Amino acid sequence: MEEEFRIIISGGGTGGHIFPALSIANAIRALIPSAKILFVGAEGRMEMQRVPAAGYEIKGLPICGFDRKNLLKNVVVLYKIWKSQRMAKKIIRQFRPMVAVGVGGYASGPTLNKAAEMGIPCLIQEQNSYAGVTNKLLAKKAQKICVAYEGMERFFPADKIMLTGNPVRQTLLDTTMTREEALRSFGLSADKKTVLLVGGSLGARTINESVLGHLKEVEASGLQFIWQTGKYYSQHIADQLKEKGQPQNLKVMDFITDMGAAYKAADLVISRAGASSISEFCLIGKPVILVPSPNVAEDHQTKNAMALVNRGAALFVSDAEAPEKLINLAIATVRDDAKLKSLSENVLKMALPNSAEIIAKEVIKLAKAAKA
């Protein structure tokens, strides 16, 4: 059984798809060290770098999304979908997987479609509280659908759903740093409250504008701020801070490599509401103000955020209101110990630990059933 255990994992496009995919792969390897795992991604997307860096082989498909603004460009998109279906079929024939796993994103569509046509059991993992288009289309063909939120019967057949939570970056859970050591690593003081602002790996324009518009409040707060700007915005922000003056209590970084240390240092986090980030806050019990991105399909980040807000597990500021309200709310919240304690306790209640291992065991179960 172990010698021929072969799995395809497909999807990507964002860290929110890639981190869970890699966590599932690592969990399968932990259970069956000899497992052969092949990733299938979309050419030109971040998985083509992140997956090999994590030690796994990946094949790329020329797949991309439809252009809703320029309909003529979709002739090319249709050709790429057709070509991706052919390539996926060839990859599956050559690799001979026992199970195909889809984590959402463009590439998982053609890969799991072809796998299902060829009689290979399929498992899909949906990270968000509002199901993505690709996963909704694949649901009929999947044997098992692993979800992170309750109430997903709105999108998927109830008998296929399994509530597993989202796999997260293991390094965040494994960090052994104390809060004091984490703060020291950022050159910050251990006796001051700390606010961490992150807008995802690319940064978030609205969160950045919120800080730039309230530098005086930041400086006068008596708090410390760690600000991940994103590499895309870093030069503009450096120019702005040179002109306006950078408060000494504001640590500015274009990208934070050790997010485990950053979370450990923070008393309060300000973040977008991507599914992976939310799962991380739940597992580490971190108080958070969520500012959902409006630039995502079906406004799913707002739906993710409200799942926490409605249980008193997070605070919410809309993207439109953030430049005016966000920093003042953060300053008031981090000074309120009772509020921080309540947010932390409530968000911990929503945690679903060991997600990657639970999903990996389902993959193995499907493979054994198919072989029987």
Side-chain angles (χ1 to χ4, degrees), residues 28 32 73 79 92 95 98 103 116 142-143 145 176 181 203 206 227 252 258 260 271 280 305-306 331:
I28 291 169
I32 301 182
K73 286 186 179 177
Y79 170 71
I92 291 164
F95 186 70
M98 301 165 79
V103 295
Q143 274 69 35
I145 302 167
T176 55
E181 287 167 343
T206 304
W227 179 19
V252 184
D258 189 350
S271 172
E280 290 169 358
M306 294 315 294
I331 291 168

Side-chain angles (χ1 to χ4, degrees), residues 51-190:
V51 169
Y56 293 97
E57 184 187 354
I58 187 167
K59 304 274 189 187
L61 303 178
I63 189 86
C64 62
F66 283 101
D67 191 323
R68 294 175 188 180
K69 292 178 183 173
N70 190 335
L71 296 178
L72 285 174
K73 286 186 179 177
N74 290 326
V75 174
V76 177
V77 175
L78 288 168
Y79 170 71
K80 287 183 173 181
I81 291 171
W82 174 80
K83 189 177 179 186
S84 295
Q85 298 266 13
R86 286 174 63 91
M87 288 174 68
K89 188 173 184 179
K90 187 178 178 185
I91 290 166
I92 291 164
R93 271 201 181 133
Q94 288 174 344
F95 186 70
R96 296 175 289 108
M98 301 165 79
V99 178
V101 178
V103 295
Y106 300 136
S108 62
T111 307
L112 267 74
N113 266 320
K114 284 298 163 188
E117 276 179 23
M118 296 162 78
I120 295 159
C122 296
L123 177 147
I124 59 176
Q125 197 253 333
E126 174 56 59
Q127 295 97 27
N128 292 294
S129 61
Y130 193 94
V133 174
T134 304
N135 277 347
K136 281 194 274 191
L137 292 171
L138 291 170
K140 288 178 185 174
K141 300 177 180 183
Q143 274 69 35
K144 187 68 69 175
I145 302 167
C146 297
V147 301
Y149 293 89
E150 292 172 352
M152 297 302 283
E153 298 83 5
R154 293 173 294 156
F155 309 107
F156 303 129
D159 59 333
K160 296 182 179 183
I161 292 173
M162 183 175 184
L163 186 65
T164 60
N166 281 326
V168 302
R169 293 172 281 186
Q170 196 60 38
T171 50
L172 298 181
L173 306 177
D174 291 346
T175 184
T176 55
M177 271 189 181
T178 63
R179 178 179 177 274
E180 289 71 23
E181 287 167 343
L183 285 163
R184 264 204 306 275
S185 74
F186 288 100
L188 297 174
S189 168

Side-chain angles (χ1 to χ4, degrees), residues 204-206 233 272 292-302 319:
R205 184 168 55 85
T206 304
Y233 300 102
R272 288 303 202 190
S293 170
N295 309 311
V296 293
E298 268 102 10
D299 195 25
H300 69 248
Q301 285 205 5
T302 296
D319 191 79

Side-chain angles (χ1 to χ4, degrees), residues 29-49:
R29 279 265 174 91
L31 294 166
I32 301 182
S34 61
K36 304 279 189 300
I37 299 172
L38 176 67
F39 280 76
V40 180
E43 288 173 359
R45 306 290 291 200
M46 64 192 290
E47 60 263 27
M48 301 309 292
Q49 283 77 47

Side-chain angles (χ1 to χ4, degrees), residues 8 22 46 75-76 81 87 91 108 111 157 179 189 216 226 236 256 259 261 270 294 321 327 361 370:
I8 271 183
L22 289 170
M46 64 192 290
V75 174
V76 177
I81 291 171
M87 288 174 68
I91 290 166
S108 62
T111 307
R179 178 179 177 274
S189 168
K216 286 181 181 175
I226 303 170
H236 167 70
I256 298 170
M259 282 306 298
I270 293 169
E321 292 182 324
I327 297 303
K361 285 178 177 175

Side-chain angles (χ1 to χ4, degrees), residues 200-212:
S201 55
L202 299 176
R205 184 168 55 85
T206 304
I207 292 176
N208 292 343
E209 285 175 356
S210 303
V211 181
L212 287 172

